[in-house]
Amino acid sequence: QVQLVEFGGGSVQAGGSLRLSCAASGYSVGLACMGWFRQAPGKEREGVAAVSPSGGSTYYADSVKGRFTISRENFKNMGYLLMNSLKAEDTAMYYCALDPGRCAVSWHEESVYDYWGQGTQVTVSS
């Protein structure tokens, strides 16, 4: 059974930083594209970033480009999302997800991903 567990969320002031982690079990993350999504209250879930199975290619939403960094450690079966210069509009529940195989052109669409974590809350106060 594949399980993804996110942690590292919390409350931070605008301009601060957080690093989210995603721990996987039951599946080797090195075989999958890993994505991070977020969902704010009353809004649809949106793709934030994705990283290829090898870690060699990364993809970002325009809203986070230059502020967020996605990475992975396949030997630990872990993924990460480092979030700098946080803004109030980054407040959301953040989820990690796995799409077996290479990252799709539509990496930002949740329908592409087979496995999801339960999420970790990030709250940014201005």
Side-chain angles (χ1 to χ4, degrees), residues 36-59:
W36 283 92
F37 285 73
R38 66 186 181 186
Q39 188 168 22
K43 295 188 176 181
E44 293 186 352
R45 194 176 297 190
E46 63 170 343
V48 173
V51 58
S52 63
S54 68
S57 297
T58 55
Y59 311 87

Side-chain angles (χ1 to χ4, degrees), residues 58-92:
T58 55
Y59 311 87
Y60 296 96
D62 288 342
S63 59
V64 306
K65 204 170 291 183
R67 300 188 298 122
F68 290 12
T69 303
I70 190 171
S71 61
R72 61 196 302 160
E73 290 185 306
N74 289 343
F75 71 100
K76 290 185 177 179
N77 232 25
M78 295 282 296
Y80 309 96
L81 185 68
L82 175 62
M83 306 184 296
N84 293 324
S85 302
L86 282 163
K87 305 175 182 179
E89 51 263 45
D90 294 318
T91 294

